[in-house]
Amino acid sequence: MENPNRRELPKAYDPTAIEDRWAEYWVRERLFHVETPEAGVIEKLRAAGHDVFTILLPPPNVTGRLHMGHMLNQTEMDILTRWRRMRGDLALWLPGTDHAGIATQMMVERQLASEGKKRQQMGRESFVERVWEWKRHYGGAILEQMKRLGASVDWSREYFTMDDNLSVAVREAFVRLYEQGLIYRGAYIVNWCPRCQTAISDLEVAHEEQQGKLWEIRYPVVGAPGEFLTVATTRPETMLGDVAVAVNPMDERYLPLHGKILKLPLVGREIPVITDDWVKSDFGTGAVKVTPAHDANDFAMGQRHGLPQINVMDETAHMNAEAGTYARLDRYAARKRVLEDLEAQGLLGAVRDHVNAIGKCDRCKTVVEPRLSTQWFIAVNKQPKDGGASMAELAIAAVKADGAGEKAIRFTPENYEKIYLEWMTNIYDWCISRQLWWGHRIPAWHCVACKQITVAREDPAKCAHCGSAEITQETDVLDTWFSSGLLPVSVFGWPRHTRNFDVFYPTQLLVTGFDILFFWVARMIMLGCWFSQDEPAADGSKRALKDTVPFREVYIHALVRDAERQKMSKTKGNVIDPIEIVERYGTDAVRFTLASMASPGTDIAFSEARTEGYRAFANKIWNAARFIFMNVEKAREAGITLERGTLGQMPAAGESDPIEARWIVAELNHAAQEVDEALATYRFDDAANAVYQFFWGDFCDWYLEIVKLRLDFSEAADRAATEQALATLLQTFEEALRLLSPFMPFLTEELWHAIYEDDVPAKSIALTRYPQPAEIDEAVRRDFARVQELIVAVRALRKDIGVEEKVAAPIRVRATWDGLPFTANLEVIQRLARVSTVETVTGALTGSGIRSTPNFDVQVVYERKVDAAAERERLTKDLAKQEKALAAAERQLNNPAFLAKAPEAIVEGLRKQEADTRVLMEKTRKALEELG
RNA sequence: GGGCGGUUAGCUCAGCUGGUUAGAGCGCCUGCCUUACAAGCAGGAGGUCGCAGGUUCGAGCCCUGCACUGCCCA
């Protein structure tokens, strides 16, 4: 009778045939949805030794397309989340996207440009509507890609940083900080992108070294014809805005000029010579022009000396009316003209090559212009009115070890802690206003009448100061990182104090790249600690610092580079598209590649050769399944009923079971333990290698080969033994699939359903329990290792003396230790080493074709002539190695200091090694002699 | 200029608080289509751990200097 549930797996593994189906199934069935637990549930969970595991997806930009960095990030988070979930934790992985102010606005502006339109023509409102439209249309692309990759997130909780509830949080945060006196507005030098026409933060500026020039310009001294003070500058065009020239007060060369007045060339303005410690005498001529409106250092100097600020450029970095005849010229055209004019007037001095670092806009690569403008800032170093710690101080305390050595937030790799602290210690106020249209509009209103500012939670109808109804809202929006910095609190409902907040805050872990360590990680810590300190803990008590943090651990992942270790970049054209690779090799293989290379702190050179290897691994698993299912079918045909009741439990094996059963159970436990240990410390590479080695090296190469011996379905066979073997095989395989499942979710899901012939005990393998390591039977591992050693020795010998593959040859074994595993497992040895008969001897072996180890001597008996030359070469090499090892051991053992100081176990081990080596050397010498 | 990494097999990388003969994958060589898998099986070759000192009974691992290289910040 044909079983209708019978699975007929295709011969080769084909990921495309299964992955889309499961990806869709996981989403449709809402498998990873987490209901907010009612009161008492968490306590029960904790009492049972489990915990809440909350992890926030670093929200990709709505403009984003999935790249390898995302895939690595998501693979790591998914492995951890699936692992924790299967271990019984309440695992919530929360997805969402970021509105990405500048990036998105640029994207839509570009689209408009292709239609010949500009946003200024459309007006703010319709432009913003247009961006929303764009977002609705394309904004979900990256999350769709994520779904395809099987990320086990709770899609029902998906957020967008401009959602209403998150916007409420942004507004509350702003108002509260304003009320606390920690947000201020003022005219300062900021980094200005002339293309984006907005201020950007220090972090959004990328510095690049560039070969430039240092020009010397002579400024005539008023009242001293023919006298000049020569300044050196890298930006001659800004001289039009000069208000002074500064020298170091200690610089003796310029002592006579102190207090003198200079005539600014080209402009004619009279400006003073001032002294300031900031000026370095050894740079250039030791005299610098002071342009407070166009340089951050000059701005500070101007403040110190009460100098005016003259802005000579507009928001597009073209010269303005203040620049006189240079007005409307682009900054570089102006530079050229200024230099020409100076030259013509004989005021241009030496011109030297000079390497300087210029800042470029992170987004559009335009050279940033330091610009004097009115912006909003967060005073991160300011003490609040009540005298508590500043934001930065809180953010430092959250990471630094306290008196007891405890850290509220732990970084992996650890060195990022230092980098973070270094930055946080030297942090400047954060410019949070952006002159964009797409983003959270700053909730501040300017009064036309009294010029004062009203900041409010609800849109005000009139000025809070004078009551005038003539108020207009601030046009600036907030830095994108302000809203994403609030995510750990806002996604759980803050500023409302919700059940979600009680249960899920602080989150457990943040997995992200170092590139947004300051942008995002640092801001989340600042804002998270700041606002949650006012939220009572779940039990109503005051929240301790360790419970104010947005996450307890931060795992900083590596950068994915190309196979040549080059950074991937569009301009280099070496970007590897993960979707394309996934289509070629399957998601599981790509995930496994990334995991196996994800060693903390080391960049990943992504190589397709590795991926090919892991696709082969997937195929291996697939075929192991085919083999097993084939035997299940054979059993069915032979009328053997399968005990399926144990399926889903960790297999156990006792004295009565054959060696391979006891051994594979031990190895399974061992692997499960290794994976647990590795994942607990973010050693994805070790974890992946452990399951790989277990499945391929142990399960397939040894266990399956031996189990073939037991799967005898003939009439004459021992039915009970066959049945038992098949049960252990199935049980172990099922367990192995679960072990593999966080790494290769698709393949394991498919095969797991197949094992149960679709009569599954759960909707998904992802909802079953992870293998719980039990005690490992070390004795059977040791015994089996010797059997393996013997089999390998025989195989090698057969090769050496040229025994044909098909021929089974007799062997003679002399065990030099209790050789029970040999005699008890003759059939195993016979099958795996292709041995006809095994003769156990007690005396020394003579003749050729002998191998020796400390545990046994073995000889393959075969009439074929040994290749004496090759054999001699091998033995000579062996002997040399042994001599070296012996010498090394003896050197130590003859050293009284070593014997006195080294631990007992080391000395004992070395003694045994020395003795073993001596015996082996003896045998090797004898073998060489016999060769003649 | 300040800071942080890296240098281990042909390639890409592991190597835990210093401890017995330094590992993996890929590649390479040899032999096998052994009815789960040639995306496979079996056997093998290949490393003075960047260089020079030092500490130690003992150094790939700790210290100092140097060389090369990458990144972050200013």
Side-chain angles (χ1 to χ4, degrees):
Chain A
M1 263 284 283
E2 192 75 358
N3 185 320
N5 282 329
R6 176 181 160 175
R7 281 271 172 158
E8 198 63 75
L9 299 182
K11 184 170 173 182
Y13 157 71
D14 177 12
T16 55
I18 60 173
E19 291 187 354
D20 284 332
R21 184 155 45 82
W22 289 117
E24 198 254 334
Y25 173 82
W26 294 332
V27 175
R28 173 163 37 88
E29 295 292 320
R30 295 161 53 91
L31 285 188
F32 308 116
H33 172 61
V34 176
E35 230 25 275
T36 304
E38 298 296 326
V41 173
I42 299 302
E43 291 69 18
K44 224 180 274 172
L45 190 76
R46 295 221 165 97
H50 302 298
D51 212 336
V52 179
F53 180 79
T54 317
I55 182 167
L56 221 59
L57 174 79
N61 289 357
V62 276
T63 56
R65 302 280 306 166
L66 197 86
H67 58 65
M68 269 299 174
H70 292 126
M71 183 148 182
L72 170 67
N73 184 252
Q74 293 175 14
T75 297
E76 290 173 341
M77 283 188 280
D78 198 38
I79 288 171
L80 292 171
T81 308
R82 285 174 181 269
W83 172 64
R84 301 294 292 253
R85 186 185 292 120
M86 290 179 77
R87 279 167 48 116
D89 289 348
L90 182 71
L92 170 63
W93 183 10
L94 227 152
T97 42
D98 192 295
H99 68 278
I102 297 186
T104 313
Q105 177 159 332
M106 267 175 71
M107 190 76 106
V108 176
E109 278 176 354
R110 213 174 293 143
Q111 207 182 46
L112 284 177
S114 71
E115 301 165 19
K117 289 195 230 159
K118 282 195 156 176
R119 73 178 154 101
Q120 285 82 357
Q121 300 161 346
M122 299 177 69
R124 184 166 188 149
E125 219 167 291
S126 41
F127 177 76
V128 169
E129 184 39 51
R130 171 82 185 233
V131 182
W132 272 110
E133 205 176 290
W134 184 92
K135 187 260 168 189
R136 282 189 286 270
H137 225 84
Y138 306 102
I142 195 160
L143 294 188
E144 287 309 311
Q145 289 177 312
M146 235 184 123
K147 284 178 188 162
R148 170 60 188 79
L149 297 182
S152 65
V153 304
D154 183 350
W155 291 109
S156 73
R157 292 176 186 259
E158 182 185 333
Y159 64 84
F160 176 57
T161 48
M162 292 221 329
D163 284 346
D164 288 344
N165 52 338
L166 297 196
S167 300
V168 166
V170 166
R171 187 146 174 180
E172 172 67 23
F174 185 94
V175 174
R176 219 184 268 191
L177 289 172
Y178 185 80
E179 288 170 353
Q180 290 165 332
L182 297 179
I183 282 183
Y184 64 93
R185 182 171 184 258
Y188 296 91
I189 289 278
V190 295
N191 303 293
W192 183 271
C193 174
R195 201 223 61 88
C196 303
Q197 294 182 35
T198 177
I200 53 181
S201 75
D202 294 345
L203 284 175
E204 289 163 283
V205 178
H207 293 273
E208 259 175 49
E209 296 242 307
Q210 193 177 269
Q211 187 58 245
K213 297 236 188 297
L214 190 63
W215 287 275
E216 293 184 1
I217 306 173
R218 287 193 278 270
Y219 286 22
V221 180
V222 173
E227 261 193 64
F228 301 95
L229 176 53
T230 305
V231 304
T233 179
T234 58
R235 303 221 37 207
E237 69 279 13
T238 64
M239 68 163 289
L240 303 171
D242 283 2
V243 296
V245 169
V247 297
N248 190 291
M250 308 302 283
D251 192 339
E252 294 184 1
R253 293 173 294 175
Y254 297 120
L255 283 176
L257 287 170
H258 289 188
K260 289 274 169 31
I261 302 294
L262 307 172
K263 189 165 183 141
L264 183 61
L266 309 183
V267 180
R269 186 161 53 236
E270 296 200 338
I271 58 175
V273 175
I274 61 170
T275 59
D276 196 290
D277 289 333
W278 178 81
V279 181
K280 278 181 244 139
S281 305
D282 55 357
F283 179 81
T285 60
V288 298
K289 55 199 245 358
V290 181
T291 324
H294 293 279
D295 182 281
N297 290 311
D298 291 8
F299 179 81
M301 221 181 328
Q303 298 253 295
R304 285 197 287 276
H305 297 270
L307 298 168
Q309 298 148 347
I310 300 173
N311 189 347
V312 295
M313 284 185 211
D314 65 13
E315 64 280 357
T316 62
H318 285 66
M319 310 312 283
N320 64 16
E322 286 286 347
T325 58
Y326 301 92
R328 285 186 299 282
L329 284 179
D330 167 78
R331 53 188 160 168
Y332 299 114
R335 175 180 301 177
K336 194 158 166 279
R337 275 270 305 279
V338 163
L339 290 169
E340 282 166 6
D341 293 350
L342 287 170
E343 173 98 82
Q345 297 182 22
L347 295 174
L348 190 60
V351 181
R352 301 179 207 284
D353 285 333
H354 178 71
V355 176
N356 56 346
I358 57 158
K360 291 188 172 176
C361 172
D362 214 22
R363 275 292 147 209
C364 69
K365 310 301 170 204
T366 305
V367 175
V368 163
E369 191 62 42
R371 183 163 198 261
L372 181 66
S373 65
T374 302
Q375 303 289 345
W376 295 82
F377 297 86
I378 295 185
V380 293
N381 291 311
K382 189 173 169 186
Q383 314 272 185
K385 288 173 191 150
D386 64 14
S390 72
M391 275 178 133
E393 284 166 345
L394 272 186
I396 288 169
V399 170
K400 246 188 188 159
D402 64 16
E406 293 294 312
K407 294 169 185 171
I409 298 177
R410 211 170 57 87
F411 279 91
T412 304
E414 279 177 354
N415 60 315
Y416 284 102
E417 176 187 317
K418 217 173 142 184
I419 296 172
Y420 167 91
L421 287 173
E422 185 69 22
W423 186 80
M424 193 59 84
T425 309
N426 297 303
I427 191 171
Y428 293 102
D429 286 355
W430 172 14
C431 174
I432 51 169
S433 48
R434 296 290 181 276
Q435 288 65 50
L436 302 172
W437 286 354
W438 175 242
H440 297 99
R441 200 156 163 185
I442 290 180
W445 281 260
H446 302 280
C447 177
V448 177
C450 74
K451 308 289 178 208
Q452 299 230 61
I453 289 170
T454 303
V455 168
R457 291 178 174 82
E458 300 295 333
D459 289 8
K462 53 187 182 10
C463 173
H465 305 279
C466 72
S468 164
E470 264 191 282
I471 53 171
T472 53
Q473 188 174 359
E474 168 65 56
T475 53
D476 290 356
V477 300
L478 286 164
D479 181 5
T480 296
W481 298 103
F482 186 83
S483 56
S484 44
L486 285 167
L487 283 173
V489 292
S490 60
V491 291
F492 298 122
W494 187 89
R496 286 182 300 125
H497 191 102
T498 62
R499 176 74 189 150
N500 272 327
F501 195 90
D502 278 341
V503 173
F504 297 114
Y505 192 90
T507 67
Q508 190 61 44
L509 174 67
L510 178 74
V511 179
T512 193
F514 69 86
D515 50 333
I516 53 175
L517 180 63
F518 306 136
F519 275 118
W520 192 46
V521 181
R523 267 77 177 267
M524 280 192 288
I525 296 175
M526 286 195 284
L527 296 173
C529 291
W530 187 260
F531 290 113
S532 66
Q533 62 183 344
D534 298 330
E535 299 297 323
D539 61 7
S541 65
K542 180 162 167 48
R543 201 169 278 266
L545 174 71
K546 71 173 180 49
D547 296 321
T548 63
V549 296
F551 26 76
R552 302 193 186 283
E553 307 214 359
V554 179
Y555 175 73
I556 302 285
H557 69 235
L559 198 68
V560 185
R561 298 167 175 278
D562 74 2
E564 275 73 49
R565 303 201 58 76
Q566 296 291 308
K567 219 171 176 170
M568 290 187 201
S569 78
K570 278 184 201 149
T571 44
K572 271 187 226 153
N574 63 344
V575 176
I576 303 170
D577 177 6
I579 296 295
E580 187 201 315
I581 301 284
V582 158
E583 277 165 5
R584 294 223 307 276
Y585 298 99
T587 306
D588 285 332
V590 182
R591 283 172 64 113
F592 209 90
T593 307
L594 291 169
S596 74
M597 302 188 81
S599 177
T602 312
D603 284 351
I604 294 176
F606 189 87
S607 105
E608 281 191 40
R610 283 287 283 258
T611 313
E612 248 171 72
Y614 292 121
R615 181 185 52 183
F617 180 47
N619 186 54
K620 189 78 181 174
I621 301 167
W622 186 264
N623 277 291
R626 288 182 60 228
F627 169 77
I628 292 165
F629 298 157
M630 189 184 87
N631 280 286
V632 168
E633 205 49 39
K634 276 187 194 163
R636 216 190 303 273
E637 279 159 15
I640 293 175
T641 45
L642 256 178
E643 175 56 61
R644 282 177 167 273
T646 53
L647 213 48
Q649 290 165 26
M650 201 71 172
E655 285 302 313
S656 61
D657 289 297
I659 190 166
E660 78 280 0
R662 286 184 290 141
W663 173 74
I664 198 66
V665 168
E667 292 301 338
L668 173 65
N669 279 300
H670 182 245
Q673 192 178 21
E674 279 191 296
V675 171
D676 279 353
E677 284 168 7
L679 289 184
T681 51
Y682 309 109
R683 291 304 305 255
F684 298 96
D685 56 336
D686 285 349
N689 289 339
V691 294
Y692 182 93
Q693 168 57 34
F694 167 73
F695 197 86
W696 199 324
D698 297 335
F699 186 79
C700 290
D701 288 349
W702 291 94
Y703 176 66
L704 283 187
E705 289 309 314
I706 297 172
V707 98
K708 284 174 183 174
L709 269 175
R710 321 294 186 199
L711 297 175
D712 184 347
F713 301 105
S714 63
E715 292 291 330
D718 176 350
R719 290 264 161 148
T722 304
E723 202 175 304
Q724 184 54 44
L726 196 55
T728 304
L729 171 61
L730 263 177
Q731 213 181 332
T732 307
F733 183 61
E734 198 265 0
E735 208 70 34
L737 287 179
R738 283 193 267 150
L739 192 68
L740 279 158
S741 154
F743 303 89
M744 301 187 136
F746 292 100
L747 173 64
T748 51
E749 185 82 289
E750 174 80 9
L751 296 177
W752 185 75
H753 282 260
I755 278 197
Y756 285 96
E757 300 181 342
D758 293 330
D759 184 14
V760 286
K763 271 190 171 176
S764 164
I765 188 172
L767 302 181
T768 63
R769 283 299 292 278
Y770 206 63
Q772 301 290 296
E775 201 184 334
I776 296 164
D777 184 346
E778 292 297 347
V780 80
R781 290 183 83 205
R782 210 160 40 238
D783 281 355
F784 194 77
R786 284 173 181 167
V787 173
Q788 286 177 305
E789 200 180 7
L790 179 74
I791 290 167
V792 170
V794 173
R795 284 168 175 171
L797 268 178
R798 288 171 50 99
K799 185 97 165 176
D800 282 353
I801 63 179
V803 182
E804 291 88 344
E805 292 279 340
K806 291 185 190 66
V807 175
I811 62 168
R812 309 173 72 210
V813 183
R814 176 193 176 213
T816 46
W817 112 105
D818 170 20
L820 201 59
F822 295 162
T823 46
N825 295 291
L826 287 181
E827 47 187 346
V828 171
I829 293 162
Q830 282 170 328
R831 181 179 170 99
L832 268 65
R834 261 174 213 270
V835 165
S836 54
T837 57
V838 181
E839 181 191 347
T840 48
V841 296
T842 44
L845 294 172
T846 54
S848 60
I850 299 168
R851 284 231 172 172
S852 297
T853 76
N855 295 323
F856 59 80
D857 302 332
V858 63
Q859 178 174 37
V860 173
V861 184
Y862 196 63
E863 76 277 11
R864 182 67 59 90
K865 192 95 181 73
V866 176
D867 180 345
E871 185 68 1
R872 192 175 299 114
E873 194 188 322
R874 187 182 68 78
L875 288 169
T876 310
K877 253 186 180 171
D878 277 359
L879 192 60
K881 246 190 221 165
Q882 289 157 1
E883 273 167 352
K884 222 176 119 186
L886 184 67
E890 276 179 341
R891 199 182 331 113
Q892 299 231 69
L893 288 169
N894 292 337
N895 184 342
F898 170 74
L899 296 177
K901 293 189 180 177
E904 193 60 26
I906 299 296
V907 179
E908 271 317 297
L910 208 58
R911 283 225 170 87
K912 178 171 186 323
Q913 185 212 319
E914 190 216 12
D916 285 349
T917 309
R918 275 184 198 285
V919 173
L920 279 181
M921 280 174 72
E922 196 49 45
K923 288 173 184 169
T924 312
R925 282 212 188 88
K926 213 174 117 221
L928 271 169
E929 269 167 39
E930 282 189 13
L931 273 174

